[in-house]
Amino acid sequence: MKKSALAGDAMMLAATMIFGAMTIFSKQILAELEVFNMVALRFLIAFAVCFAVFHRRYKTVDKETTLHAFVLGTFLFISYFCMVEGCKYTTASNAGFMMSLVAFFTPLIIWAQEKIRPTGRQTASILITLFGVGLMCLSGRLTLNKGDLICVCCAFFYAFQMLYTERYAKKHDPIVLGTFQLIFVSVYAFIFSFALEDSFRLPQSPAGWGQLMYLALGCGALGFILQTAAEKYSSADHATIIYASQPVFVAIFSYLMLAEPISLRQIAGIIIVFIGVLITVKTDGELPDET
């Protein structure tokens, strides 16, 4: 396995761990802010801090970089919008499983666009990972409702975001590309907030500011820098399988931070997910099938 690919997978795993706490902090801060209000502030702060730290790197920004950041930001906002809307009509567990389908859509999109079929090992990794996530998230009989289908759309658009991140990260500075997309998400969120929500406001408590700062600097800045840098060295299909393990970290952080119990079924699901991810990490030497 190439060291660069292993480093890419490690960065994607780190980003997924950071995103794992996002659900907890998002749920807490929504007691003070409305959804698009929160998203607008979160991504604006993330971009402002990144620009202040990396402003010298932004001297390389040109029309192509701006266009590519706009494309990534658009896919990212659409996926967030679908996630927010879908979660209104379905359970958190169903939403977690549906959004993990990003690992299923990505190789299909690659196959459709580039005529490259997933290998047998990659297919096994996808199925094992999704089975583990389903074991963790789903209980009883699975019936699809409107919210589930909207969350499937979230996974579909996020698959495009990750796929195009891989393509663009090889052409641009990953820190610039990973952070520049954030301002476009913020602009979209400001528009939706003023159009659909009652009022725009700032957090009213120290805890609310702390939660917003984690979402902005952890998930918004560091998380997307790591994801973009990871996809410069690791393929999109690898990245999406690792991203699909996010419910594992949600469960772990919920246990550590909120004292929510983890059942034996969830533990079994966690183990199965990591088996699927491990198979993915070991696929670097396997060439894809072409048609």
Side-chain angles (χ1 to χ4, degrees), residues 13-41:
L13 184 61
T16 303
M17 290 177 64
I18 292 171
F19 293 147
M22 177 175 63
T23 302
I24 297 170
F25 286 106
S26 295
K27 183 177 180 179
Q28 291 174 334
I29 199 174
L30 288 178
E32 298 188 29
L33 303 178
E34 294 192 71
V35 172
F36 292 112
N37 184 167
M38 178 270 290
V39 173
L41 287 174

Side-chain angles (χ1 to χ4, degrees), residues 219-256:
C219 300
L222 181 59
F224 284 106
I225 288 174
L226 285 171
Q227 178 189 321
T228 307
E231 293 198 58
K232 185 172 183 176
Y233 303 108
S234 182
S235 62
D237 49 358
H238 275 214
T240 51
I241 287 289
I242 295 171
Y243 177 81
S245 68
Q246 185 175 329
V248 169
F249 298 106
V250 173
I252 292 173
F253 283 124
S254 296
Y255 173 76
L256 295 175

